[in-house]
Amino acid sequence: MFFYLLFITFFKKEINLFIIFSFIFFIWRTFSSYYYSNGVLDLVNSSRILTLILLINITIKKYPKSTLRAISIVFSSYIILNLISYFIFPQGLYRVEGHQLAWLLGIENQFGFVLIPGTLLVIIYFWYEYKNVKWIPLTIILLTVTTLLKAWSATAIVAIFFVLISLFINLRKNIKPLYSFIRLSIIYIIIWFIVVRFNSVSFFESIITDFLGKDLTFSGRTRIWDSVFESISYSPWYGFGINSEVLGGIVTFFAAHNMILQVILDTGFIGLILFATCVIIAGVKLQKNKNSRISVMLLIGIFGILIGGLSESYRLNYIFLLLIMSYNIKYIQRD
């Protein structure tokens, strides 16, 4: 499938700047892992992401409605079936690493990886088709919120409420959307440095301790982040290979528990620059179409994932799905 789509992309001249930098990023990711992680390449997931990018880049231009409908159906199914499995099998469908309970969408802390972009993509399809949010997306929103509240993954809860409140603010009739790629990027960078780099979380104390029921170390995340920054200093440009971990306690190793830090830990600052370039390339398209409702919804979805990734190392699959859709925003906007 991958090689067929790659052939079509070149034969039909569907190659673009976003695809080029996405390939460079994942090639670098594989290269750094080959040399620094004992040959762990993660080729399956990397090829899966690149296949998704190529597929969406082709289909969304010729069949935007069908593409959005198919994506909506897939994610609606994920959300519904995961919640059913979550309630029917309280002890999990299987275990990860021998002790962590997991369901259709994995462990509880990883639910947001699918639920946040999935809910947003269901809403986008119905807005594209009907210019309104009907009962089906409202039901999906309810199921998503129910799942995350039951799982009580703190940053995922914050992320989904950011998405829902942002949609309410920006989808009002006769009012131009308030968000833009530049504004949200600046705000996110400031929050990231305050929370992750400087561990200055006193401003968020009431939210963290009273509402989310967490301590000011984000359940030990800040100690892990300190270990990650120390580890990064030993290989800042190249990283340590895919799925790298750090010593977060006396004998226990952890992932970075932050999406951006995990990118740096895995692929170094070279990988971060390449990843940021992909985000910026898509973001420029969104900035040029900042008054489009669907453009703003994609923007909200991207930053929803990044917010959820403040304390979890989400995989990159669905942020790249939103990014390739953002790059092709002119084919799906109807404003």
Side-chain angles (χ1 to χ4, degrees):
M1 182 68 171
F2 168 76
F3 291 105
Y4 172 74
L5 290 172
L6 188 62
F7 171 77
I8 294 296
T9 298
F10 278 98
F11 183 74
K12 297 289 187 180
K13 297 181 180 179
E14 298 286 355
I15 195 77
N16 56 52
L17 194 61
F18 179 81
I19 289 178
I20 291 172
F21 273 93
S22 295
F23 267 77
I24 294 173
F25 170 69
F26 283 103
I27 290 172
W28 170 255
R29 194 166 175 260
T30 300
F31 172 81
S32 64
S33 292
Y34 180 78
Y35 283 98
Y36 295 99
S37 190
N38 298 320
V40 178
L41 302 180
D42 197 25
L43 285 177
V44 173
N45 195 53
S46 295
S47 62
R48 185 182 295 130
I49 296 173
L50 291 172
T51 299
L52 183 61
I53 291 171
L54 295 174
L55 178 63
I56 298 301
N57 184 63
I58 293 170
T59 60
I60 206 164
K61 296 173 182 176
K62 294 185 176 181
Y63 314 105
K65 179 179 175 180
S66 298
T67 301
L68 292 177
R69 184 194 295 121
I71 293 172
S72 174
I73 291 172
V74 169
F75 278 101
S76 295
S77 301
Y78 283 162
I79 293 167
I80 294 169
L81 293 175
N82 183 69
L83 184 58
I84 291 173
S85 72
Y86 198 30
F87 276 100
I88 293 179
F89 303 99
Q91 297 305 310
L93 290 173
Y94 58 98
R95 291 179 181 267
V96 177
E97 297 178 352
H99 64 280
Q100 288 184 295
L101 300 180
W103 290 265
L104 182 65
L105 298 181
I107 63 175
E108 291 173 317
N109 283 349
Q110 291 292 317
F111 284 174
F113 162 66
V114 178
L115 298 183
I116 294 167
T119 302
L120 197 281
L121 288 165
V122 172
I123 295 170
I124 286 177
Y125 165 66
F126 279 87
W127 190 272
Y128 176 87
E129 181 68 9
Y130 306 105
K131 284 197 174 180
N132 204 345
V133 179
K134 296 186 175 289
W135 70 269
I136 292 179
L138 290 175
T139 302
I140 294 299
I141 290 172
L142 178 62
L143 297 179
T144 293
V145 172
T146 300
T147 303
L148 293 178
L149 288 177
K150 187 175 187 302
W152 204 251
S153 175
T155 46
I157 292 172
V158 172
I160 195 62
F161 277 102
F162 161 78
V163 168
L164 297 178
I165 293 171
S166 298
L167 289 174
F168 176 77
I169 292 173
N170 288 275
L171 295 186
R172 291 175 296 171
K173 293 182 178 180
N174 303 320
I175 297 178
K176 288 185 177 181
L178 300 178
Y179 289 2
S180 71
F181 176 73
I182 294 175
R183 288 173 187 165
L184 289 188
S185 296
I186 293 172
I187 293 171
Y188 182 80
I189 291 170
I190 292 172
I191 292 174
W192 192 92
F193 273 96
I194 290 174
V195 174
V196 181
R197 186 65 187 97
F198 303 120
N199 293 341
S200 181
V201 296
S202 58
F203 177 78
F204 307 100
E205 181 174 1
S206 61
I207 298 175
I208 296 168
T209 59
D210 298 337
F211 177 68
L212 296 178
K214 303 290 183 179
D215 56 55
L216 288 181
T217 68
F218 287 96
S219 300
R221 293 321 196 246
T222 56
R223 290 190 293 272
I224 295 172
W225 296 338
D226 289 339
S227 296
V228 172
F229 281 113
E230 182 180 352
S231 298
I232 287 172
S233 65
Y234 296 109
S235 181
W237 291 107
Y238 308 112
F240 298 94
I242 294 169
N243 300 326
S244 295
E245 296 181 330
V246 297
L247 185 64
I250 298 176
V251 296
T252 308
F253 285 84
F254 295 93
H257 281 286
N258 178 274
M259 178 182 285
I260 302 301
L261 280 184
Q262 192 68 51
V263 170
I264 302 173
L265 190 65
D266 290 352
T267 62
F269 283 107
I270 292 176
L272 177 63
I273 292 169
L274 292 170
F275 175 69
T277 301
C278 293
V279 175
I280 292 170
I281 289 171
V284 168
K285 297 287 187 177
L286 296 179
Q287 185 69 24
K288 290 179 179 179
N289 296 274
K290 62 182 180 179
N291 292 326
S292 163
R293 307 289 177 175
I294 292 182
S295 175
V296 172
M297 283 189 267
L298 288 168
L299 182 66
I300 291 169
I302 291 168
F303 281 92
I305 293 177
L306 291 174
I307 289 171
L310 278 173
S311 68
E312 293 298 336
S313 303
Y314 289 163
R315 286 191 173 191
L316 302 175
N317 302 53
Y318 298 131
I319 194 168
F320 270 92
L321 170 59
L322 293 176
L323 290 174
I324 188 59
M325 292 175 67
S326 300
Y327 187 85
N328 289 289
I329 180 62
K330 68 179 181 179
Y331 299 101
I332 56 177
Q333 62 182 359
R334 283 196 165 186
D335 299 277

